[in-house]
Amino acid sequence: MAGGSRPRTGPVGGAGRDRDRAGRAGPRPRPVRDRLADHLAGRRTLLVLDNCEHLADACARLAQSLLGAAPGLRVLATSRATLGLTGESVLTVPPLSVPDEAVELVRDRAAAVRPSFRITEANREAVTRLCARLDGLPLAIELAATRLRTLTVDQLMDRLEDRFGLLTAGSSTARPHQRTLRALIDWSHELCSPPEQLLWRRLSVFAGGGFDLDAAEDVCCGDGLPRGEILDRLDRLVAQSVVLTSEDESRPQYRMLETIREYGRGRLAESGEERPLLRRHRDYFRALAESSAAAWYGPGQEEALARLRAQHGNLRLALEYDGADPGHRQAALVLVAALRFHWCADGFLGEGRDRIERALAAAPEPTAARAGALWAGAWAALLQEDHRTADRWLTEADELGERLGDPVIRAYVQGLRGTSALFVGRLDEAVSLYEGAVSAQIAAGEGPGALFSLFQLSVARAHLGDPRAAESGRRAVAAAEEHGERGCRSYALWALGHDAWVRGDTASALTFTRAGLEIQRGFNDYAGTALMLELLAWITASDGDRARAGRLLGAIRALWRKIGTGITAFGPHLAEHHTRCEETVVRALGTAGYERALAEGGGHDVPGPAIADALGAPVARAEPAADADPLSRREREVALLVARGMSNRRIAAELVLSPRTVDGHVEHILAKLGFRSRTEIAAWVAAHKDQVPTP
């Protein structure tokens, strides 16, 4: 430097100028972001920002400024959290598919550390279960595969209870948070705010099946997490892929991968909150079950059962709660009794019977809760043909009802004693018990509950050839319609169909049976579906379509096997009809043909597909006999106005009825006629003008 002057390091001549290496002044370099924006401004470019989660805010600001300057730019950001930009489209990358992708990754990584390793028929199932237990997470599977150097697949599975201690053999060259499974989840945990971490560990109390927002708010709120903040915190956990959502728009479900949940449970155990949170969890699901049972004989049955079905894992967890409070055994009795429709009408018969027995054994005290569990258990036992246990439990429940002065308990016991008599063929006794039960239930203020006895009264009378059978069935249908109830309504329609079948009126039997099956579409009732398919098979065989009857018998057999019971549980009269139908089909098809039909129908082993197949098959619908019009006078009036193109609201004004009443009439018309649309009603009206007089 001339004159020995010291070089300047600051700006010369004002802002925006620096010295170059030779000491000459020049313009200060523009920020990298501005130069990048200029470079991209006129280009069509895809910019990839990988692993943004730890710099999400900075990445969001960069992307926003570049997108504003470069119209042709598209940004692909990979992150465990969304960036929150306007116009952002989120594509969730799911875990590896099991078994395909996940099993292939095991094969590839295991062969790298143990060249002799192969996926064989002998170990394929175990490898698939391993991948499922690891949620299809690539890193977890890679870490597990390295353990196959010294362990067999079965040994590895046995040690997965401590997956975080087991899966630690990652690559030494990988980033620190990708070397062990715990480090990976720790990394995600640290990216969450303290309230989000708190909610994460509390949500881990829910079983693997998941939870809904109501459950999360009720169980997880308090002590640093106000109820009003749960939704926002949950939304952030969803955005960060800690919590996953289902596709059910009616009531969205949330869940955690088992690995994420186990991590949260560990944190929950360390916090000291686990025991009180489990108690709150139990109380919430007991209240949910009780409210579903209390409102059963009314609208919303399908939704209530679907919700309980979705929460089956949590209901199990609630039943396994073993708290120190003295009332927890009584609470278990209340819960198993409240779940009676879930057990007996939702495909969980064997498990329900077992849960009820365990709860009764643990709480022998003579309480109302025990009485309720006794008669609920008796229902399950009757469906399993265990009459000895059922009768013993009904006797004890009746004695408790008398001792406690509870007429409701005794009324339900009387109805189930009628069921016991019906199922062993004591028909006169069954009729007498059902009649008494209906009267007792109405007197006790349990009128809707009388539906359960009413449709069975119709069946018992039909077996006896009693002309009052149809009257009992119609009474049950009318009562169900009045209360907006659908489950017993479908059974009552089946009872009417059965009565018509016994009387030789196959046309009406078909109409009523199909109507009952249409309602059953919304349920998951194995027994109800099988009973209705039984009747449909008998009708189909008598009409000459023996091949289709054989396929129906195959579906029926598969449904009964799923719940561990059969047509013989419902009495000798139904079993005789089944046997005659089977013999008719075998004679027509031969033994080999019958077995093929059974195998084909046996592929439909759950209610929904079995019903869809039965109702979707081409059936020559026989017209009801003139004296067996399925519609009431009021329903015929409503049907005529539907055919004229009127909306339900206009029909209500025309007939001076409430819109809700008209809604019920239209629904009932669809069910009775086996239709699914108003257009079909209009077509039926056109074909039955003589039966549908002008109102």
Side-chain angles (χ1 to χ4, degrees):
M1 295 288 179
S5 62
R6 300 175 60 188
R8 295 187 179 183
T9 57
V12 176
R17 299 183 66 82
D18 276 330
R19 297 211 177 244
D20 62 16
R21 292 183 180 179
R24 293 187 297 269
R28 176 187 296 174
R30 297 175 63 213
V32 172
R33 182 182 301 179
D34 293 344
R35 284 184 284 160
L36 184 58
D38 287 345
H39 178 74
L40 297 173
R43 301 169 183 265
R44 290 177 57 83
T45 309
L46 174 65
L47 177 64
V48 179
L49 303 177
D50 197 19
N51 290 332
C52 298
E53 56 269 6
H54 62 300
L55 296 171
D57 290 341
C59 289
R61 289 193 297 271
L62 173 63
Q64 189 70 62
S65 65
L66 294 179
L67 289 167
L73 174 65
R74 295 294 182 268
V75 176
L76 174 62
T78 69
S79 174
R80 291 198 179 98
T82 59
L83 299 185
L85 299 179
T86 302
E88 180 178 22
S89 296
V90 178
L91 175 64
T92 301
V93 180
L96 299 178
S97 64
V98 178
D100 300 332
E101 296 170 333
V103 168
E104 181 61 21
L105 182 60
V106 171
R107 185 201 63 74
D108 182 70
R109 295 298 188 267
V113 297
R114 182 177 157 193
S116 62
F117 181 83
R118 298 287 185 275
I119 302 292
T120 66
E121 290 304 314
N123 67 12
R124 182 177 297 276
E125 183 180 350
V127 171
T128 299
R129 284 189 286 111
L130 172 67
C131 294
R133 286 281 304 278
L134 294 175
D135 303 309
L137 293 175
L139 178 62
I141 292 172
E142 289 190 11
L143 294 173
T146 64
R147 290 295 188 186
L148 293 175
R149 177 168 33 217
T150 51
L151 298 174
T152 67
V153 177
D154 288 332
Q155 288 174 323
L156 185 56
M157 283 286 292
D158 291 341
R159 286 162 171 76
L160 272 188
E161 292 302 320
D162 181 21
R163 68 182 66 196
F164 294 110
L166 178 69
L167 305 182
T168 59
S171 170
S172 60
T173 62
R175 286 182 252 185
H177 67 271
Q178 293 179 334
R179 293 179 186 174
T180 71
L181 185 60
R182 178 175 293 281
L184 176 67
I185 310 304
D186 278 338
W187 169 259
S188 294
H189 188 261
E190 290 165 7
L191 293 173
C192 296
S193 68
E196 292 160 7
Q197 293 174 353
L198 177 59
L199 181 57
W200 178 345
R201 74 173 185 244
R202 289 182 181 177
L203 290 175
S204 71
V205 77
F206 295 105
F211 54 91
D212 57 28
L213 180 58
D214 289 344
E217 289 179 328
D218 199 88
V219 175
C220 298
C221 70
D223 297 328
L225 197 59
R227 186 185 188 94
E229 293 184 10
I230 297 286
L231 177 57
D232 287 341
R233 305 304 179 190
L234 178 60
D235 185 64
R236 288 300 306 152
L237 291 179
V238 170
Q240 295 174 82
S241 303
V242 174
V243 173
L244 307 178
T245 60
S246 73
E247 298 299 322
D248 184 0
E249 293 297 329
S250 61
R251 181 180 287 273
Q253 293 287 310
Y254 307 91
R255 67 182 180 89
M256 292 177 169
L257 296 178
E258 191 58 28
T259 299
I260 302 296
R261 178 175 177 261
E262 270 195 36
Y263 180 91
R265 282 305 289 266
R267 293 272 184 172
L268 183 64
E270 294 168 2
S271 72
E273 289 187 314
E274 186 173 30
R275 177 57 59 185
L277 206 65
L278 282 169
R279 183 168 60 250
R280 293 182 65 175
H281 176 279
R282 179 207 64 184
D283 292 344
Y284 175 82
F285 285 100
R286 183 184 66 181
L288 175 65
E290 285 187 277
S291 64
S292 297
W296 176 253
Y297 294 105
Q301 290 170 314
E302 298 101 317
E303 293 80 4
L305 276 185
R307 190 176 183 191
L308 294 177
R309 191 159 59 248
Q311 299 298 336
H312 186 69
N314 282 308
L315 295 169
R316 281 177 169 172
L317 184 62
L319 283 167
E320 290 162 5
Y321 172 81
D322 188 21
D325 54 300
H328 79 273
R329 291 187 177 87
Q330 292 297 312
L333 287 173
V334 171
L335 181 53
V336 293
L339 290 173
R340 55 190 177 273
F341 300 106
H342 179 59
W343 304 135
C344 297
D346 203 14
F348 298 99
L349 181 60
E351 180 179 347
R353 165 74 183 275
D354 179 63
R355 295 282 183 181
I356 292 170
E357 280 194 297
R358 287 197 282 177
L360 288 170
E365 299 81 10
T367 62
R370 180 174 177 83
L374 283 165
W375 69 258
W379 180 20
L382 287 171
L383 293 176
Q384 292 183 317
E385 299 186 73
D386 185 356
H387 287 263
R388 178 177 298 180
T389 299
D391 291 342
R392 175 166 55 84
W393 282 349
L394 288 173
T395 297
E396 184 183 349
D398 194 37
E399 291 171 352
L400 277 175
E402 183 176 13
R403 178 175 174 179
L404 297 169
D406 191 332
V408 173
I409 292 174
R410 303 197 71 193
Y412 278 105
V413 167
Q414 187 169 4
L416 285 166
R417 281 182 166 161
T419 301
S420 179
L422 174 65
F423 285 1
V424 296
R426 300 197 303 267
L427 301 179
D428 290 318
E429 180 184 347
V431 167
S432 176
L433 286 165
Y434 284 138
E435 290 172 340
V438 169
S439 298
Q441 284 164 328
I442 293 173
E446 288 286 306
L451 285 167
F452 188 73
S453 296
L454 264 177
F455 80 80
Q456 293 180 94
L457 174 60
S458 177
V459 173
R461 283 175 168 170
H463 287 325
L464 286 168
D466 188 330
R468 295 175 297 170
E471 181 273 332
S472 300
R474 287 193 294 269
R475 183 180 169 193
V477 169
E481 181 182 19
E482 178 184 352
H483 294 284
E485 197 274 353
R486 289 173 58 79
C488 280
R489 189 192 316 183
S490 71
Y491 278 94
L493 288 166
W494 167 76
L496 285 170
H498 177 260
D499 172 63
W501 163 253
V502 169
R503 290 187 288 101
D505 183 358
T506 57
S508 294
L510 179 61
T511 296
F512 287 124
T513 303
R514 288 176 65 84
L517 275 170
E518 284 285 358
I519 294 176
Q520 281 288 329
R521 282 181 187 270
F523 291 82
N524 189 51
D525 185 350
Y526 282 73
T529 299
L531 285 171
M532 292 176 202
L533 291 182
E534 286 274 6
L535 186 50
L536 186 60
W538 308 341
I539 297 168
T540 302
S542 66
D543 282 347
D545 193 346
R546 278 55 184 275
R548 180 166 178 256
R551 293 193 296 273
L552 287 169
L553 290 172
I556 291 162
R557 183 172 70 174
L559 291 168
W560 287 134
R561 283 179 175 175
K562 272 290 190 76
I563 58 172
T565 188
I567 190 63
T568 56
F570 296 84
H573 297 81
L574 296 183
E576 288 169 9
H577 286 311
H578 176 91
T579 300
R580 283 198 293 271
C581 177
E582 193 173 42
E583 291 170 348
T584 299
V585 174
V586 171
R587 281 196 302 271
L589 303 182
T591 302
Y594 177 55
E595 290 299 327
R596 284 194 299 271
L598 286 178
E600 184 178 343
H604 303 299
D605 60 352
V606 292
I611 294 172
D613 183 66
L615 294 179
V619 180
R621 190 196 305 270
E623 293 296 337
D627 60 349
D629 178 13
L631 302 186
S632 67
R633 180 187 61 81
R634 177 64 82 184
E635 289 162 356
R636 291 195 299 273
E637 293 173 346
V638 172
L640 179 63
L641 297 179
V642 168
R644 291 179 180 174
M646 289 189 182
S647 67
N648 285 7
R649 187 168 295 278
R650 284 191 60 196
I651 294 171
E654 181 78 16
L655 299 180
V656 195
L657 298 171
S658 72
R660 183 174 179 180
T661 298
V662 175
D663 292 343
H665 281 312
V666 172
E667 184 181 347
H668 194 207
I669 292 166
L670 291 168
K672 279 187 174 182
L673 298 179
F675 295 156
R676 305 190 68 180
S677 71
R678 298 168 78 90
T679 303
E680 289 180 285
I681 294 176
W684 184 87
V685 169
H688 296 78
K689 290 180 180 178
D690 57 325
Q691 296 180 33
V692 190
T694 301

